Amino acid sequence: MSAPAPEGTLLSVVVPMYNEEDALPAFAARMRPVLDGLGARYEVLAVDDGSADKTAALLRDLSADWPELRMVRLRRNGGHQAALTAGLDHAVGAYVASIDADLQDPPEKIPEMLELARGEGLDIVYGVREDRSTDTGFKRWTAGGYYWLIRRLVGQQVPSNAGDFRLLSREAVEALKELPDQQQRVYRLLVPWLGFPSGEVRYVREERVAGSTKYPLTKMVRLALDSVTGFSAAPLRLATWLGTVAFFTCLLLLAFCLTVYLFGATVPGWTSLFVGLLFIGGVQLICVGLLGEYVARIYTSVQRRPAYFVAEDTAGPAAPAARATPAAAPAARASADRDPAGRPGA
């Protein structure tokens, strides 16, 4: 069960945002009535992930009339998962929900998630998409392939069609904060890995209310690579199997070449040799690439850099400044000692 929340806040809603100025008015108009209807203390923690548009300015304007809205502005764009990390680190609620600003995930499901978690003593409630007809055919096909692959590599505990729309208890949030992973987090795999009691709330995925998607094909591929290399050693085993297949293929080609040589027909051997070299070269490049992915993750982990730095927190200077490991703590404190304009604090 959850520990008591600081300041008596029941619910924190974390909303990563990047260039969402077009979606913000509709998001606020739809989210606020839902949360006001809870009859309990809450906060909406909007994490501005280094937006280049007017997202931060609009959040300040909205917070003037909506005191429960809090903005944490990051100094640079670190990606969706880094912004989500910042939100989880700064949230103070007994329960923490995460949702995107595009309203493809309905805010009206958050009270249902909260009721399910409190009623059944659950630490995790996933929002599961039961209808993705608003997505393109390519998106549905790639998403289906992603979850099919991940469930076979990581385990069946990963729910299908569950993204980053979820509710976590304070205990689950604190467990996530204790994990040493700093860079390249994938919460849709980390959260099920915790093994906390969980449930599901199903919903129909809607169309994006405004703006364009912040997950183009390149980011989807990067997410898939981070998911596979961060939670499974299967690619390394695949490299071993490819090497084994290449070895036996070479033995067959060697036997074929010797046979051709004994019969005096050496000209046909050129084709087999050429094909063999291409095959072995391709396998070697694949194996080196897979090893490079894991070495890159080790290199990033050894650097121990924080996933984000906070430029501004409208809750005041008492809020945490960065997701930092002990080695990165001095830099995080330096960020905390500066005001929103970047000048050293008093």
Short mmCIF file of all heavy atoms in Angstrom, two decimals, residues 223-258:
data_model
loop_
_atom_site.label_atom_id
_atom_site.label_comp_id
_atom_site.label_asym_id
_atom_site.label_seq_id
_atom_site.Cartn_x
_atom_site.Cartn_y
_atom_site.Cartn_z
N LEU A 223 13.31 3.83 -29.39
CA LEU A 223 12.62 3.24 -28.23
C LEU A 223 12.70 1.72 -28.29
O LEU A 223 12.92 1.06 -27.26
CB LEU A 223 11.17 3.70 -28.21
CG LEU A 223 10.30 3.10 -27.10
CD1 LEU A 223 10.75 3.60 -25.73
CD2 LEU A 223 8.82 3.44 -27.32
N ALA A 224 12.50 1.16 -29.48
CA ALA A 224 12.56 -0.29 -29.61
C ALA A 224 13.96 -0.81 -29.29
O ALA A 224 14.13 -1.83 -28.60
CB ALA A 224 12.16 -0.70 -31.03
N LEU A 225 15.00 -0.12 -29.77
CA LEU A 225 16.38 -0.53 -29.48
C LEU A 225 16.68 -0.44 -27.99
O LEU A 225 17.29 -1.35 -27.40
CB LEU A 225 17.37 0.33 -30.27
CG LEU A 225 17.47 0.04 -31.77
CD1 LEU A 225 18.39 1.06 -32.44
CD2 LEU A 225 17.99 -1.37 -32.02
N ASP A 226 16.25 0.66 -27.35
CA ASP A 226 16.47 0.81 -25.92
C ASP A 226 15.73 -0.28 -25.15
O ASP A 226 16.23 -0.79 -24.14
CB ASP A 226 15.99 2.18 -25.44
CG ASP A 226 16.92 3.30 -25.90
OD1 ASP A 226 18.07 3.00 -26.26
OD2 ASP A 226 16.49 4.47 -25.90
N SER A 227 14.53 -0.62 -25.61
CA SER A 227 13.75 -1.65 -24.93
C SER A 227 14.44 -3.01 -25.00
O SER A 227 14.54 -3.72 -23.99
CB SER A 227 12.35 -1.76 -25.57
OG SER A 227 11.66 -0.53 -25.46
N VAL A 228 14.93 -3.35 -26.18
CA VAL A 228 15.54 -4.67 -26.37
C VAL A 228 16.89 -4.75 -25.66
O VAL A 228 17.16 -5.68 -24.89
CB VAL A 228 15.69 -4.98 -27.86
CG1 VAL A 228 16.48 -6.27 -28.06
CG2 VAL A 228 14.32 -5.11 -28.51
N THR A 229 17.76 -3.76 -25.89
CA THR A 229 19.11 -3.82 -25.31
C THR A 229 19.12 -3.53 -23.82
O THR A 229 20.04 -3.94 -23.11
CB THR A 229 20.04 -2.83 -26.03
OG1 THR A 229 19.50 -1.49 -25.93
CG2 THR A 229 20.19 -3.20 -27.49
N GLY A 230 18.11 -2.81 -23.32
CA GLY A 230 18.08 -2.48 -21.91
C GLY A 230 17.47 -3.55 -21.03
O GLY A 230 17.66 -3.54 -19.81
N PHE A 231 16.72 -4.50 -21.62
CA PHE A 231 16.00 -5.46 -20.81
C PHE A 231 16.22 -6.91 -21.23
O PHE A 231 15.59 -7.80 -20.68
CB PHE A 231 14.50 -5.16 -20.85
CG PHE A 231 14.14 -3.90 -20.13
CD1 PHE A 231 14.22 -2.68 -20.77
CD2 PHE A 231 13.76 -3.92 -18.81
CE1 PHE A 231 13.90 -1.51 -20.11
CE2 PHE A 231 13.44 -2.77 -18.14
CZ PHE A 231 13.50 -1.54 -18.79
N SER A 232 17.11 -7.14 -22.18
CA SER A 232 17.32 -8.51 -22.62
C SER A 232 18.71 -8.67 -23.23
O SER A 232 19.22 -7.75 -23.88
CB SER A 232 16.25 -8.90 -23.66
OG SER A 232 16.52 -10.18 -24.20
N ALA A 233 19.30 -9.83 -22.99
CA ALA A 233 20.57 -10.17 -23.61
C ALA A 233 20.36 -11.02 -24.87
O ALA A 233 21.32 -11.55 -25.42
CB ALA A 233 21.46 -10.93 -22.62
N ALA A 234 19.11 -11.10 -25.32
CA ALA A 234 18.81 -11.92 -26.50
C ALA A 234 19.60 -11.52 -27.74
O ALA A 234 20.04 -12.39 -28.49
CB ALA A 234 17.30 -11.88 -26.79
N PRO A 235 19.80 -10.20 -28.00
CA PRO A 235 20.60 -9.85 -29.18
C PRO A 235 22.02 -10.41 -29.14
O PRO A 235 22.58 -10.78 -30.18
CB PRO A 235 20.61 -8.32 -29.16
CG PRO A 235 19.35 -7.96 -28.47
CD PRO A 235 19.19 -9.00 -27.41
N LEU A 236 22.61 -10.46 -27.95
CA LEU A 236 23.95 -11.05 -27.84
C LEU A 236 23.91 -12.54 -28.14
O LEU A 236 24.81 -13.08 -28.80
CB LEU A 236 24.52 -10.80 -26.44
CG LEU A 236 24.83 -9.34 -26.10
CD1 LEU A 236 25.31 -9.23 -24.67
CD2 LEU A 236 25.88 -8.78 -27.06
N ARG A 237 22.87 -13.21 -27.65
CA ARG A 237 22.73 -14.63 -27.98
C ARG A 237 22.46 -14.82 -29.47
O ARG A 237 22.91 -15.80 -30.08
CB ARG A 237 21.62 -15.24 -27.14
CG ARG A 237 21.98 -15.39 -25.66
CD ARG A 237 20.98 -16.24 -24.91
NE ARG A 237 19.73 -15.54 -24.72
CZ ARG A 237 19.45 -14.78 -23.67
NH1 ARG A 237 20.35 -14.63 -22.72
NH2 ARG A 237 18.29 -14.19 -23.55
N LEU A 238 21.71 -13.88 -30.05
CA LEU A 238 21.47 -13.94 -31.49
C LEU A 238 22.78 -13.82 -32.26
O LEU A 238 23.00 -14.52 -33.26
CB LEU A 238 20.52 -12.81 -31.90
CG LEU A 238 20.26 -12.66 -33.41
CD1 LEU A 238 19.58 -13.91 -33.95
CD2 LEU A 238 19.41 -11.43 -33.68
N ALA A 239 23.66 -12.93 -31.78
CA ALA A 239 24.96 -12.78 -32.44
C ALA A 239 25.75 -14.09 -32.36
O ALA A 239 26.42 -14.50 -33.32
CB ALA A 239 25.75 -11.65 -31.78
N THR A 240 25.65 -14.78 -31.23
CA THR A 240 26.33 -16.07 -31.09
C THR A 240 25.78 -17.10 -32.06
O THR A 240 26.54 -17.84 -32.73
CB THR A 240 26.18 -16.59 -29.64
OG1 THR A 240 26.71 -15.63 -28.73
CG2 THR A 240 26.92 -17.91 -29.46
N TRP A 241 24.46 -17.14 -32.20
CA TRP A 241 23.84 -18.09 -33.13
C TRP A 241 24.19 -17.74 -34.57
O TRP A 241 24.43 -18.64 -35.39
CB TRP A 241 22.33 -18.10 -32.94
CG TRP A 241 21.90 -18.90 -31.75
CD1 TRP A 241 21.42 -18.44 -30.56
CD2 TRP A 241 21.93 -20.34 -31.62
NE1 TRP A 241 21.14 -19.47 -29.70
CE2 TRP A 241 21.45 -20.65 -30.32
CE3 TRP A 241 22.33 -21.37 -32.47
CZ2 TRP A 241 21.34 -21.97 -29.86
CZ3 TRP A 241 22.22 -22.68 -32.01
CH2 TRP A 241 21.74 -22.96 -30.74
N LEU A 242 24.20 -16.47 -34.89
CA LEU A 242 24.58 -16.08 -36.24
C LEU A 242 26.02 -16.50 -36.54
O LEU A 242 26.33 -16.96 -37.65
CB LEU A 242 24.43 -14.56 -36.42
CG LEU A 242 23.00 -14.03 -36.54
CD1 LEU A 242 23.00 -12.50 -36.54
CD2 LEU A 242 22.33 -14.56 -37.80
N GLY A 243 26.89 -16.31 -35.56
CA GLY A 243 28.28 -16.75 -35.74
C GLY A 243 28.37 -18.25 -35.93
O GLY A 243 29.17 -18.74 -36.75
N THR A 244 27.53 -19.00 -35.18
CA THR A 244 27.54 -20.46 -35.32
C THR A 244 27.05 -20.88 -36.71
O THR A 244 27.65 -21.76 -37.36
CB THR A 244 26.65 -21.09 -34.24
OG1 THR A 244 27.10 -20.69 -32.95
CG2 THR A 244 26.68 -22.61 -34.33
N VAL A 245 25.97 -20.24 -37.16
CA VAL A 245 25.46 -20.54 -38.51
C VAL A 245 26.50 -20.21 -39.56
O VAL A 245 26.71 -20.97 -40.53
CB VAL A 245 24.15 -19.76 -38.76
CG1 VAL A 245 23.72 -19.88 -40.22
CG2 VAL A 245 23.04 -20.26 -37.84
N ALA A 246 27.16 -19.06 -39.39
CA ALA A 246 28.19 -18.66 -40.36
C ALA A 246 29.34 -19.67 -40.38
O ALA A 246 29.88 -19.99 -41.45
CB ALA A 246 28.72 -17.27 -40.00
N PHE A 247 29.71 -20.20 -39.21
CA PHE A 247 30.80 -21.17 -39.13
C PHE A 247 30.45 -22.45 -39.91
O PHE A 247 31.25 -22.94 -40.72
CB PHE A 247 31.09 -21.51 -37.67
CG PHE A 247 32.07 -22.63 -37.48
CD1 PHE A 247 33.42 -22.43 -37.69
CD2 PHE A 247 31.64 -23.89 -37.09
CE1 PHE A 247 34.33 -23.46 -37.53
CE2 PHE A 247 32.54 -24.93 -36.93
CZ PHE A 247 33.89 -24.72 -37.13
N PHE A 248 29.25 -22.99 -39.68
CA PHE A 248 28.87 -24.21 -40.38
C PHE A 248 28.65 -23.96 -41.87
O PHE A 248 28.92 -24.84 -42.70
CB PHE A 248 27.62 -24.82 -39.75
CG PHE A 248 27.88 -25.51 -38.44
CD1 PHE A 248 27.51 -24.93 -37.25
CD2 PHE A 248 28.54 -26.73 -38.42
CE1 PHE A 248 27.76 -25.57 -36.04
CE2 PHE A 248 28.80 -27.38 -37.21
CZ PHE A 248 28.41 -26.79 -36.02
N THR A 249 28.18 -22.77 -42.21
CA THR A 249 28.05 -22.42 -43.63
C THR A 249 29.41 -22.40 -44.30
O THR A 249 29.58 -22.88 -45.44
CB THR A 249 27.37 -21.06 -43.77
OG1 THR A 249 26.08 -21.11 -43.14
CG2 THR A 249 27.19 -20.70 -45.24
N CYS A 250 30.39 -21.88 -43.58
CA CYS A 250 31.75 -21.86 -44.13
C CYS A 250 32.30 -23.28 -44.32
O CYS A 250 33.00 -23.56 -45.30
CB CYS A 250 32.68 -21.08 -43.20
SG CYS A 250 32.38 -19.31 -43.19
N LEU A 251 31.96 -24.20 -43.39
CA LEU A 251 32.40 -25.58 -43.55
C LEU A 251 31.79 -26.21 -44.80
O LEU A 251 32.47 -26.94 -45.55
CB LEU A 251 32.01 -26.39 -42.32
CG LEU A 251 32.76 -26.08 -41.01
CD1 LEU A 251 32.27 -26.99 -39.89
CD2 LEU A 251 34.27 -26.27 -41.21
N LEU A 252 30.51 -25.91 -45.04
CA LEU A 252 29.85 -26.44 -46.23
C LEU A 252 30.48 -25.87 -47.49
O LEU A 252 30.70 -26.59 -48.48
CB LEU A 252 28.36 -26.13 -46.18
CG LEU A 252 27.55 -26.85 -45.10
CD1 LEU A 252 26.11 -26.35 -45.09
CD2 LEU A 252 27.58 -28.36 -45.34
N LEU A 253 30.75 -24.56 -47.47
CA LEU A 253 31.38 -23.93 -48.62
C LEU A 253 32.78 -24.47 -48.84
O LEU A 253 33.23 -24.63 -49.99
CB LEU A 253 31.42 -22.41 -48.44
CG LEU A 253 30.08 -21.68 -48.55
CD1 LEU A 253 30.24 -20.21 -48.18
CD2 LEU A 253 29.53 -21.81 -49.97
N LEU A 254 33.49 -24.78 -47.75
CA LEU A 254 34.83 -25.35 -47.88
C LEU A 254 34.76 -26.73 -48.53
O LEU A 254 35.56 -27.05 -49.44
CB LEU A 254 35.48 -25.45 -46.49
CG LEU A 254 36.87 -26.10 -46.44
CD1 LEU A 254 37.86 -25.28 -47.27
CD2 LEU A 254 37.35 -26.22 -45.00
N ALA A 255 33.79 -27.55 -48.10
CA ALA A 255 33.63 -28.87 -48.70
C ALA A 255 33.27 -28.75 -50.18
O ALA A 255 33.79 -29.50 -51.03
CB ALA A 255 32.54 -29.64 -47.96
N PHE A 256 32.41 -27.76 -50.50
CA PHE A 256 32.02 -27.56 -51.89
C PHE A 256 33.23 -27.13 -52.73
O PHE A 256 33.44 -27.63 -53.85
CB PHE A 256 30.93 -26.50 -51.97
CG PHE A 256 30.58 -26.08 -53.36
CD1 PHE A 256 29.86 -26.92 -54.20
CD2 PHE A 256 30.98 -24.85 -53.85
CE1 PHE A 256 29.54 -26.54 -55.49
CE2 PHE A 256 30.67 -24.45 -55.14
CZ PHE A 256 29.95 -25.30 -55.96
N CYS A 257 34.04 -26.24 -52.19
CA CYS A 257 35.21 -25.75 -52.94
C CYS A 257 36.22 -26.87 -53.18
O CYS A 257 36.81 -26.98 -54.27
CB CYS A 257 35.88 -24.61 -52.18
SG CYS A 257 34.92 -23.09 -52.15
N LEU A 258 36.43 -27.72 -52.16
CA LEU A 258 37.35 -28.83 -52.33
C LEU A 258 36.85 -29.81 -53.39
O LEU A 258 37.62 -30.34 -54.20
CB LEU A 258 37.55 -29.56 -51.00
CG LEU A 258 38.35 -28.79 -49.93
CD1 LEU A 258 38.38 -29.57 -48.62
CD2 LEU A 258 39.78 -28.53 -50.43
#
